[in-house]
Amino acid sequence: MAVDRRAGYGLSAPDDLIDPEPSRGRLFGALAWCALLLGPAAAWLAVFGFTPDGECGDWSLHCAGKAIMYSAASWLFGSLLAIVALFRGERRGLAVPALVLNLIPLLGLLAAYLFLAERA
């Protein structure tokens, strides 16, 4: 006797009930998005909010460089979180855009560094 799999009588679930992306949580993907969106804002707020005016003044180059480096650290951490999310099997729709958007500013900083190093 033949088993009709289209009607759902077989041993496997019908194709319309199978979830193509198993959701094993979204923790690391969500943390990667937080690092992307909140990390640079927190870095600039920490540098210019908690540093005395005599040290930073009005947009001191030293303090701006420090804030940029803290932002880069946040983007690097967000990239690592997104990679961990991909290895854990979390939703790709959350982790892949976070990874790409965290890598874009890092690549921009690397290009700026290489450009300035070439000129010096």
Side-chain angles (χ1 to χ4, degrees):
M1 176 176 212
V3 176
D4 188 12
R5 292 191 186 272
R6 289 173 290 157
Y9 295 112
L11 298 176
S12 62
D15 291 336
D16 58 342
L17 294 179
I18 297 175
D19 187 15
E21 283 188 20
S23 58
R24 290 195 46 203
R26 299 177 184 161
L27 176 67
F28 288 97
L31 288 175
W33 275 100
C34 288
L36 172 68
L37 299 174
L38 300 177
W44 285 84
L45 178 69
V47 169
F48 285 102
F50 298 128
T51 306
D53 289 337
E55 188 177 324
C56 273
D58 293 329
W59 297 96
S60 166
L61 185 60
H62 172 73
C63 290
K66 192 186 297 186
I68 289 171
M69 293 307 291
Y70 290 159
S71 297
S74 171
W75 291 321
L76 180 64
F77 186 64
S79 298
L80 293 174
L81 286 170
I83 290 170
V84 168
L86 288 173
F87 279 129
R88 287 188 71 227
E90 292 184 13
R91 294 177 49 115
R92 293 189 194 282
L94 190 67
V96 171
L99 176 62
V100 170
L101 291 175
N102 273 307
L103 286 176
I104 289 173
L106 285 175
L107 292 176
L109 285 175
L110 179 65
Y113 170 76
L114 292 175
F115 175 74
L116 291 175
E118 185 179 291
R119 289 186 66 190

